[in-house]
Every structure is written in C-alpha cells, then in structure tokens.
Amino acid sequence: MDLSSQNLLEMQRRMLRIRRFDERASKMVKRGQIPGTVHTSIGQEAQVVGACMALGDGDYMSGNHRSHGHPIGKGSPLGPLMAELVGKATGVCQGKGGSLHLADFAVGSLGESGIVGSSIPIATGAALSSKVLGNGKVSLAFFGDGAANQGCLYEAMNISGVWNLPVVFLCENNQYALSTPAHTVTSGVIADRAAGFGMPGVRVEDGQDVLAVFEAVTTAVERARRGEGPSLVEVVTYRFNEHSEGLRLGTDYRDAEEKAAWVERDPIVLFRRHLEREGIATAEELDALEAEVLAEVDEAVRFTDESPYPDPSVAFKDLYTEPIGAIA
Amino acid sequence: MDLSSQNLLEMQRRMLRIRRFDERASKMVKRGQIPGTVHTSIGQEAQVVGACMALGDGDYMSGNHRSHGHPIGKGSPLGPLMAELVGKATGVCQGKGGSLHLADFAVGSLGESGIVGSSIPIATGAALSSKVLGNGKVSLAFFGDGAANQGCLYEAMNISGVWNLPVVFLCENNQYALSTPAHTVTSGVIADRAAGFGMPGVRVEDGQDVLAVFEAVTTAVERARRGEGPSLVEVVTYRFNEHSEGLRLGTDYRDAEEKAAWVERDPIVLFRRHLEREGIATAEELDALEAEVLAEVDEAVRFTDESPYPDPSVAFKDLYTEPIGAIA
Amino acid sequence: MTVMSYLGAIGAAQREAMEADERVVIIGEDVEANVYGTTGAGKSRKDKGDFLEMFGANRIRNTPISEEVIVGAAIGAAMTGLRPIVDLSYSSFLYMAMDQFVNQAAKNRYMFGGQASIPVVFRSAMFYGLNTGAHHSDRPYPMFMNVPGLKIIVPSNPYDAKGLLRTAVDSDDPVLTFEACLLWGSKGEVPEEEYKIPFGQANVARTGDDVTVVAISSAVPEALAAAETLAGEGVSVEVIDPRTLVPFDTEAVIRSVQRTGRLVIADPAHRTCSAAAEISAIVAEEAFESLRAPIMRVTTPDTQIPFSPALEKQLYPNRTKIEDAVRRVTGLMANTLNTELTSPAPRM
Amino acid sequence: MTVMSYLGAIGAAQREAMEADERVVIIGEDVEANVYGTTGAGKSRKDKGDFLEMFGANRIRNTPISEEVIVGAAIGAAMTGLRPIVDLSYSSFLYMAMDQFVNQAAKNRYMFGGQASIPVVFRSAMFYGLNTGAHHSDRPYPMFMNVPGLKIIVPSNPYDAKGLLRTAVDSDDPVLTFEACLLWGSKGEVPEEEYKIPFGQANVARTGDDVTVVAISSAVPEALAAAETLAGEGVSVEVIDPRTLVPFDTEAVIRSVQRTGRLVIADPAHRTCSAAAEISAIVAEEAFESLRAPIMRVTTPDTQIPFSPALEKQLYPNRTKIEDAVRRVTGLMANTLNTELTSPAPRM
Ligand SMILES: Cc1ncc(C[n+]2csc(CCOP(=O)(O)OP(=O)(O)O)c2C)c(N)n1
Ligand SMILES: Cc1ncc(C[n+]2csc(CCOP(=O)(O)OP(=O)(O)O)c2C)c(N)n1
Ligand SMILES: [Mg+2]
Ligand SMILES: [Mg+2]
C-alpha cells in the first residue's frame, strides 16, 4: 500500500481522536453529564480507522451502538458529536439521536443503529443506489461478532453478491457480545462464511495493526469500486472497557490475563512506535499531535457546554418531511 | 445402506401416493372443488420420500407451502389430508389450515408454513426440545432454494451448530422460486454455506434418485442422533407442474428443453425400473402397488366428499387453549 | 376518462412514476416476470410493454426471497438518492421485515435530526376472503398506524388507487400501501391525464344525514351497498372513505358526526386496537357532545383466519353487518352489546 | 409478606417456575451472566444462587444475537414438550422476530386445529423515559394486541409482576410480558408463599366515584398520585389497572364507568391505535348511555422518542397530564380538544 506520511499521521490522529473522545465521554457518563450510556471503541481504534481510511470521503458507512468511533474515523468534527451525546441542540442530530443513534451524513455516515444487525441492510441499500445511479460510491457496514449471527447479514451478503453491489461487510470481532464470548455462540468462523455466498472472506488476525486492517479493507474497497462486488472482512480485536460505560456486572466474563495481553497491544502505542521507527515522525511531533487532539476534545466539550438544550418543540419536528397534521 | 425389500417398496408406495394425491388435487383445484390453490410435489417425490424415510416414526419435520408431499412422505393417511384441502370438518386440521398450512402431529409433522422460511426455526426448536429432554428425536426442516435466502436459515444453522442440536436442514432445490431461477438470486452454492457454519454440507446432484437422497439424509440423521449436531443437505430436483396449480403466467420462465429433460427423469419411473432390475418386485407386483395407491386416493376423495363442512362456530375455537373471553 | 381495474390502475401509476422520475425503481420478488400483474403493460403479461423491457434490469430489481434486506436496502437506497417502490406481494409477509419498518424506515429521519428523507413506497396486498388461510389473509395496517413516521394508504377503488400511489411515490416519507385483493378486479373510471390525490383528505363516498359510516378498504363497497338498502328503509347514511389512515382526515369525520350524531365504523382488521378503535376514540373525545348513540364497530373478530369456505366469509364486515349496526344506532333494532353482531365472536 | 423490587419479583417468579417444572427453560442473550438481573439469585450477580449453577446449562440457554430463531425455536420447543421463558431484554427488539410472533406463535394452534399448544413466555422490558433513544424506548404492546392468539401482560408493581409471571408460565398459550423498566426498582410487599394471579382480572388500585381512570403499566403510579392530588380538590377518582391487556377485563371497566360516568385512559404507548384507543372504543360502544363526558386519552403523542433529556420526559403520561384530563372531564377545566393536552403534539 502506498501511503504518504501525511496519511499515516492522519491515521494516528484519528485513532487518537477516538481514544480521547471516548475517554472523555466515559468520564462524563460516570459523572452524570451524559445521560444514558455510551459504548466506547477504546482498544479497537486500529480496526475502525484502518477501515474508514480505506474509504473515500464520498463513500458511505453504517454502524452500530459502538457508535462514535465510526464517524470520528470517517472524519466527523468532534463538537457536534459530543453535543449529541449530551443532548444539546447543536448535536449532530440536534440531540435527538444520542450516543447509540448517531449519523453524520456530511461524512457519509448513514447511521449507527441501536438494533444489532439492523443497519447492515441500510448500507446494502446505499450500495444499490450507487450501482443504479452509477456514482462510483462504495458502502461499508460495520457490525460486531454478535451481529454476525443476525440473519439479515446473510440476506445482505447474498443479495449484494447477486447484484454485484459495491459493499464491504466489516465484522469487528472484539470476541465478545456484551457478556457472551463469541466462540460460545458462533458456529464456524465468520470470515469463512463468505465463501458460501460467493465472495472473498478475509480474517485480519491482528486487528491492532492499523496498516493490516487498512490493507485488507482497501483490497475489498477497490474490488467493490471496480464493480466486482462485495467482500467480507473480519477483524480480530478487543475492547478495553466494559461493554458500555457504567455497566457493572458482578461477574467478569473476561479472563484477566487475556485482557492484560490485549491491553498490552494498544493500537495507538503500537502505531506510534511504528511511526517513530520508520522515521515518519519524531517523538516531539507525535507528542504535539497528541496535544492537538486533546485540545480538540477540550474544545468539543467547551462547545457542548456552551450549547443550549433544544427547545421542547423540537421533539415534534422532523418525523415527517412534510408534517402530516396541525400542531396544536 | 441396508434396506429391506419392504422398505424399498414402501419408498415407491409413498412416492406414488404423493404423485397420485397431488394429481388428483390439481384436478380438483381446476374444477373448483378445492378452494384457493395447491402446490404439488410432482417431480420431487424422490427428494421428499428419500428424506422422510431416513427419519424414524417419532422424528419431527417441518415444511412449507409445497405441503402435502411432506406429511404423505412421512406416512400420513390421505383421507384427512384431502379433506383438509377441501376445508372439511374431518380435515387433519379440521379445515382450518388448508393446503399450505397443514400439520399432522401424529406423524411428527409440526407444520407446513405458508411463510417462506418461517418454519425453519420451528424445527430447530423441536431439536432443542429433543436435546433438553434427551428423547433421542431428530428434527428435519424442509425448505426450498428460495427459502435458502431467508436469514433465519443462517440463524438456525448457527444456533444448532453451537448447541449441537439434532437437526437436518434439507433444501429442496427445484431450481426455481416461483418465477425466479435460483441461479439469478443465489450467490454461491447453497450446500457450500454449511462450512462457514461449522457443519457438513452435502449436495445431492441427482435428486431424482430416491436412494441417493435417502443415503445422504440418513448420514445426516445418524450424525444428529449420535449427538454430533446439525447438517445441511441440498437436493437438486425439479417440479414438473407450475409453481401452484391454476397459476397462469403469460411468460414461461422455464426453458422447454430443460423441462423436458427433467420430466424424462421421473423419479417414480426411475425407481420402478430399479426395483424391477434388481428383482425386488415384478412388473405385476408394481402394477398392483400402483392400483392400490390409486384406490387409496379414490378412497380419500370419497371420505372427503362424504364429510361435512365444519360448523361455523369452529372458526372461534382453538385459538387459545383456554378460551379467554365469553363467547357471545 | 377511461375504465380501469384496480390492479390496472396500480400498474399504470407505477409506469407513470417510473417514466416521470429516473430515480424511481421497482424492487421485489417476481417483479421481472410480472407475477402479480403490476409490472407489465397491463395487457398480457409478456408483451412489448413489459416493465423489464421498458425500464431495464437496472431499475426493475427482481430479488431473492429476503424481505428483511429488501426492505432495509430500499430504505438505504432512499436515503441516498433513489425513490424505490417495493412490491412485498402479500401483507402477511411484512412481519419478516418488521424491524426495518419500525426501527429504520419510521425512525431514521427523526433520530438523525432530519438529515435524510426516506422516499420509499412499500406495496402489499391483503388477500383476505379468498380461502388462502391464516398465513395469507392478514390486514395488518393497525399495527403500522401505531408506529409514528409511516404513512398508510388504503385505496378502495381504481381512481384512488392510481391517484394515491402517485402521491405516495412523490412523498419524501415512507408510505405503506395496503391494497385489497378482493377489489383487484373492480373497475372504475380514471382520468386519461395524470393526477395525484393528496393524503389526509377523506372521500365522502355518499352523503347522508342520519348516520355516519366510516368504511375502510373493501368495506367501502359493502357500506355503500348497505346505505342503498337502508335508504329504502328511510335511513340516510353518509359513507366516508378515509383513503389514507396516516394522515387521517379527522375533520371530515368530526364534521359528519356533528351533523348525523351517529357513527358506525366498518374495518376489515381484527377488532382489538383496530383502525376502527382509533376512529372511535377520536370521536368519543372530540365530538362527544354530538353523539346520540353508541359508536359501533363492525370489524373482523379477534380470531385468526380459517381456511375452510364454511368458516372464513362470516368473519369480515359485510353489508348485512353494517346494516344491522346502523339499525341499532338509529334505534331500528334493539341496541344490545356489539358482541352479538359478530356472534359467536370471542369477547374481550 | 416480604418486600421485593419489581425486578426481584420477576427473578423470584422465574426461579419458582424453574423449580416447579423441569420443562421450564430460560432462553436469551446474556442470561448466563445475568446481565439483566433476573437470572441470578436476586442478591449479587455472581453468587452460589446463580441460575446457571442452580439449573445447569441444559436449562439456562445463553444464545447468539438471533432473535428470529430464538423466538421460533422457543415456539418449536413449546410445541414439543418444553415450556420456555424467553428473555428478549428490550421491547424494541421484538420486531426482529415479528414473523415468528404473528405467523407462528399466534397462528399455529389455530391453523392446525388445536393439535398443539404453545406454552411459551416472551419477556421484554420497556426502557422509556431513561434517555436511551428511539431504538430502545418502544412500548409496542398495542401492535401485539391486534394479533389474536397472543396473551399480553403489563404488570405495574412487584406483587403483580410475580403473580402474573407465574400464571404466564402455567399458561398453555403464548404470553408476552411488557415490563416497565421505570418500575424495576420500585418495591412492594409480596407473600412468602407461592401465588398466581389469574389473567383477565383488573385490579382496582383505588376506588372512587367521580371519574374512572384506567392506567397501564408505569402510568398506574402516576394515576394514583393524580388521584391523591385530586382528592384534595374534592374529586374522587377510581384507578383501574387492567394488569393483562389480553385478556382484558371489560366488565371491571364498564362497571366502574357505569358508576362514575367519566373515563380517562392513561397509556404510555403511542396514541394512534393504542390500548387506550381500544378501551375507549369498548366503552363508547358498551357503556355509552352511562357516559357524561368525552373519553379522554392521555398517551404518548405520535412522535418517535428523542434522546435529549430536554425533549423526552414531556412525552409520557404523567400525573399532571392525568390531573388535567380529569379536571376537563369533570368540568373543572374548559373541555377543549385533547390535542392541547399533549401540546405541541402533531394531530392526526
Ligand atoms: C436486535 C438486538 N438484540 C440485542 C441487543 C442488545 N445488545 C446491544 S449491544 C449487544 C452486543 C453486541 O455485540 P457485538 O455485535 O459483538 O458488538 P460489540 O458490542 O461487541 O461491539 C447486545 C446483545 C440489541 N441492541 N439489538
Ligand atoms: C416470506 C414470504 N415471501 C414470499 C412468499 C411468496 N412465495 C410463496 S412460494 C414462493 C417461492 C418459494 O420458492 P422455494 O423456496 O424455492 O420453494 P418452491 O416453491 O420452489 O418449492 C414465494 C416467493 C411467501 N409465501 N412468504
Ligand atoms: Mg463484539
Ligand atoms: Mg424452489
């Protein structure tokens, strides 16, 4: 893969954005500043950013409850995302979506879905529209190892195979669905399921390596762009935090050693080492980058804090494009 | 496979029952004696009977809109089935199911479903109950090449793989779903999908050979019975009639030559030849068998004709086990 | 004017919509071979005018049997520039894609603060009354009425079927059409020129002074027949066909009840939480002072649909049941509990 | 008597049912780790009393995320000798398995002429009011009420939650439970000994003479609070909690309205085709002569649920809205159109 230093640094920047944004959000949930809960992508940044950077700016993407990482990876500004998590009027969805139900159409994010599996058909449809309109856009569906057991994935794989749709099915296998270890509820290997649906299936065993992810997804995206149809990419990774912030299960379903070993392989640390080793950036430059990102997050929080809550009447807007009745 | 002559003749008998029953039903639809429509298994008898005979009497089975073949194959008496098609009180479901929505629990038939794919989870659940109760029963789900594109099949395959359920997924690939050729809507090969779900997948290329089907399904049933889990068996076959009786499409989506070639390979004719060749039965004995079956069908029609229609109040019964309100 | 069947009118609307806007595509099972008769030229099924030949395979999308992804993909496509019409054939198959209807079609625009519109039409036909059994006879529009964000149309004649479907395709919001298979063959006059019928405007199918009958879908012709009979008995019945259930023309019904003081609702859906329940509740709240008699619902009782011809027909609202209900609210018949109307319906 | 939380009562009912009958199994996502708190001993999540340890993995079935096959398999298992309790966690996930609920659970026994019973319980919780956003806040019981063949329970307190769930497991028919997450933490007295509450028997939560308020699920405590306030204003309110929506205790409501002459219904579901609509329609038909005022519905308006704390809470029925509705039907407040009650709700 031919990547400019600028692109490589952009990868690190986006991974850092996800990390720092999610860390801040996690704190804010625990302090009660964010209502409900949030699901962080901490630990999975390489998988998210490697996939997003393989897409073009105009390409489409759909996601799931682990929801901020995706738009951040695709280039969303942080302010409106943070404001959305808090429920402010300046949120990317005016505060109506919230953490799990974000979208940022400006960067091709067609929606994160709180319903596991439910956004896979949406990405498939975006690919259909690219195909019918001939606009060359590629679509990517993010979903977890848990979602890989929802039937709609296989309907989507089949129909996009038949129609040769420009879509990439990207399974974020962080090895757990909430408290449930993937191996206890998955028969066979997810990537291997592609073959039966007539498409390539790749398993990226080291999902902590952003370049490995980038490479695998780029192959799939290019194939899609050439009109050769869909692919399935499974990326093996790990979430460092609890399923969602603030969730307290009495039992730990994850082995402490297993966890420690994965945390050891922090994708941001690994990639920083790579950048330094390859002479792409100096330690000072990378420190500066980290400081910049931290400032961005601070700014996003400031923006959020200073933003008003939406007017109660907003609850009654945007259901329909053309309102269907008198508002009393 | 070690099959007694008696078993072999029973196979021929059941294939003949399906053929003659469906031929008669087809006529009755066209004459208006059966309301609605029926979907015949004519041409697919080897696939149905080969699969059913691989099951034990106590084993379970679920099916679809192509619905009488399955219970006949499993040993249902013809009278209550025919009465059901006409909507008589003596129907196997008291006239409340009709052709597409039959069940005959006495032979382990848990229900044919008018909703494509919808009965696959039901058979999976029967297998779960066998497993939990430890009663050694095996469950088989019949579904078409069209149904193989419903997501619930893959959910069912996955969960039965994980739980090692005693279930056989049997795809009746008659190469068309209504007007739609399977190859135009199927990405990959159906049998090959099993591998990705960690189970054996077999494709019986000659689904007109009842023994080939029997053998493949027996292997799957025995595996299930041994507690080794599910299998997928795809049987390639052909329906000789229209999708449903009386359906008239202005266009023929099936090539005349293709059709002629398949009709040439009539499973009943082929098996009769085999039985004679192998000295299992003489021509006279087989003629007698055919006559017997024809008489059975005549008797089923007579039974139906002589049966009353259900009392209108029957429409209000059996919704709940314990009626939930006063009947006015 | 030209005479068209209900089914022909749907086909004609689809053809016009496809011609008017390149972004309109048709997606569904067996649409290529025109199995359900609305993607052909309206003449024979295989002739020059076939949609496939007219519009090509890029816009006529024959699908696998995969309702969930069909519906979801149509939503995704609608969010990104297409205006799909999805043919789901039987209404009883909608459940297969329920999550996509409720959690995606109805919610996305709202959740995302209006970032996208979802211009998609989901067509399905209700095959009740034709001995097709419980898996093929549903009339599930009430459950979709409970889902804010969807629009719902229930045309009762060829003119409305064509005009409402054109509006549906123009709508930037998801629209579900529930077509009554019982009416497919019914003929009616339809203008030669293009026309569109606005949503939320009821059709007063017959004017009258004594009783308002709101009738839905195939109950409309039954109500009109009942009104004719009752006219002979000196009872003047107004028949209102709402045509669209969401949005619903509350004003038309209220105005009529304010005049007649009596309301009967004929609705082929199952009784509990039916459209009839909603209409009754609206009137009991907003026009109570005008009411001079109980509001009566003539619905399908809360039982599933049996196959046998000896069992099925009795279940649906028909002219006789509507007549009886009108006689009761006008005092021409003893006004006992409604349950005897649909006797022996289970009562809950 | 012992004091229990609503959630604890559900866990206790499940444990008793598992102990009482070996055929009872629990199927669901994350039930093994007791993520939702009803498959543990009711104390801490990981202790000796864990269901997994008590009943073993054969009967505590942790599943993949595959709602359609989970629900379908539970139906198939129920038809062949088990009595499953399925934990679907959030009510908003039910749509994923809609076909199995409607076309299999509700229809099979009927279609097959009574050959099988389907003793299965589907539990789900409604998380509304907690800023969980549109994909996690649904209250979809009305759409299931429109499906004959299902039984539906909506317990509003620990005593009912436990007693109704025991009855649900005993029922030979499919039962859906809609638990209100808002009530999970609420405490109440529960007998030490086993007990079961029959379906179809409403609970008169407070007696009164002037107005009948029928309240559902989390609206019950709100209605009781409103009744208390109104008592101070000299208005005597009767609060009826139907407890089960199918079967519905029509007689209890009619009897009350015959006495009070006034009806307000508080229902957290979306307005159109809500349970409130059905209850209103029943009364407008069967107790019209007793009515002295319009029937008022206090529901969630027909909009989806927004995430922001600035937007969500205003939508649900609460004590203030119930009080206002009561004041209107008693003439203590000007009786204008209901729509102002839930202002600025879209009106349809
Ligand atoms: C249809 C549906 N079922 C269940 C849930 C509850 N739920 C939310 S996230 C989750 C686990 C998802 O696991 P996975 O797909 O692996 O994604 P991850 O959280 O690991 O990123 C579950 C069960 C849901 N939101 N939607
Ligand atoms: C969920 C659903 N979608 C569509 C249909 C309409 N339909 C009935 S049979 C059929 C074709 C089924 O094809 P296949 O599964 O191959 O079975 P075959 O008829 O060939 O035996 C279709 C589309 C249906 N009954 N249910
Ligand atoms: Mg996961
Ligand atoms: Mg087929």
Side-chain angles (χ1 to χ4, degrees), chain B:
Chain B
M1 296 291 147
D2 212 20
L3 280 166
S4 67
S5 318
Q6 206 186 326
N7 274 339
L8 294 169
L9 287 172
E10 182 64 18
M11 281 185 177
Q12 183 73 340
R13 179 189 301 277
R14 293 194 188 179
M15 290 204 289
L16 279 164
R17 277 194 189 135
I18 295 175
R19 175 68 54 91
R20 301 291 170 248
F21 182 94
D22 273 0
E23 283 173 349
R24 187 67 63 92
S26 170
K27 274 197 200 122
M28 291 167 70
V29 167
K30 283 163 195 157
R31 288 194 203 122
Q33 294 161 334
I34 290 176
T37 186
V38 300
H39 302 70
T40 70
S41 297
I42 294 173
Q44 303 183 209
E45 293 91 346
Q47 164 257 301
V48 174
V49 171
C52 286
M53 295 278 297
L55 294 170
D57 281 349
D59 288 336
Y60 298 123
M61 172 188 93
S62 77
N64 64 1
H65 55 283
R66 203 163 297 291
S67 53
H68 346 117
H70 304 139
I72 297 176
K74 193 89 187 342
S76 281
L78 304 186
L81 286 179
M82 187 58 87
E84 187 63 30
L85 266 52
V86 174
K88 292 295 183 81
T90 54
V92 64
C93 304
Q94 300 181 44
K96 289 166 86 164
S99 167
L100 294 87
H101 317 103
L102 287 170
D104 187 353
F105 280 62
V107 300
S109 150
L110 302 179
E112 307 287 316
S113 173
I115 307 294
V116 170
S118 183
S119 61
I120 298 170
I122 302 296
T124 307
L128 172 61
S129 116
S130 303
K131 175 103 180 185
V132 173
L133 299 171
N135 62 20
K137 294 186 181 206
V138 172
S139 198
L140 183 144
F142 283 109
F143 58 91
D145 49 286
N149 295 322
Q150 290 285 34
C152 62
L153 171 60
Y154 303 97
E155 296 188 6
M157 282 169 55
N158 182 62
I159 207 170
S160 32
V162 162
W163 285 346
N164 251 313
L165 299 184
V167 57
V168 178
F169 298 99
L170 195 130
C171 180
E172 314 180 291
N173 185 348
N174 62 9
Q175 306 176 59
Y176 291 86
L178 226 167
S179 71
T180 300
H183 71 89
T184 65
V185 288
T186 312
S187 198
V189 172
I190 295 169
D192 292 353
R193 294 178 179 180
F197 294 87
M199 68 184 67
V202 185
R203 187 170 151 113
V204 180
E205 297 288 351
D206 187 2
Q208 306 308 87
D209 176 354
V210 66
L211 293 178
V213 178
F214 177 78
E215 196 167 329
V217 180
T218 299
T219 303
V221 169
E222 286 176 353
R223 181 180 138 86
R225 191 110 51 206
R226 282 194 308 269
E228 292 168 21
S231 310
L232 171 65
V233 181
E234 175 186 1
V235 181
V236 183
T237 180
Y238 206 79
R239 66 168 151 76
F240 291 177
N241 285 13
E242 214 356 313
H243 170 70
S244 61
E245 299 312 289
L247 183 67
R248 279 183 41 229
L249 299 179
T251 162
D252 202 346
Y253 49 89
R254 298 196 298 185
D255 183 72
E257 274 175 43
E258 170 191 290
K259 199 160 150 182
W262 276 96
V263 170
E264 192 57 35
R265 309 202 64 257
D266 182 321
I268 296 177
V269 173
L270 291 177
F271 198 53
R272 177 172 168 135
R273 245 179 249 156
H274 172 86
L275 293 172
E276 287 188 37
R277 201 184 318 115
E278 300 290 316
I280 313 285
T282 62
E284 293 68 40
E285 283 165 343
L286 291 166
D287 287 345
L289 179 64
E290 302 207 2
E292 268 179 55
V293 168
L294 210 53
E296 272 186 69
V297 173
D298 286 337
E299 169 56 22
V301 174
R302 199 194 50 73
F303 170 79
T304 300
D305 286 345
E306 290 177 1
S307 295
Y309 280 103
D311 185 81
S313 67
V314 167
F316 302 96
K317 299 216 169 91
D318 286 327
L319 182 62
Y320 296 96
T321 303
E322 310 116 5
I324 63 163
I327 304 288

Side-chain angles (χ1 to χ4, degrees), chain A residues 145 174 176-177:
Chain A
D145 49 285
N174 62 8
Y176 291 86

Side-chain angles (χ1 to χ4, degrees), chain A residues 24-25 58 95 191 221 237 241 249 252 274 326:
Chain A
R24 187 69 61 93
V221 169
T237 180
N241 285 12
L249 298 179
D252 202 344
H274 172 87

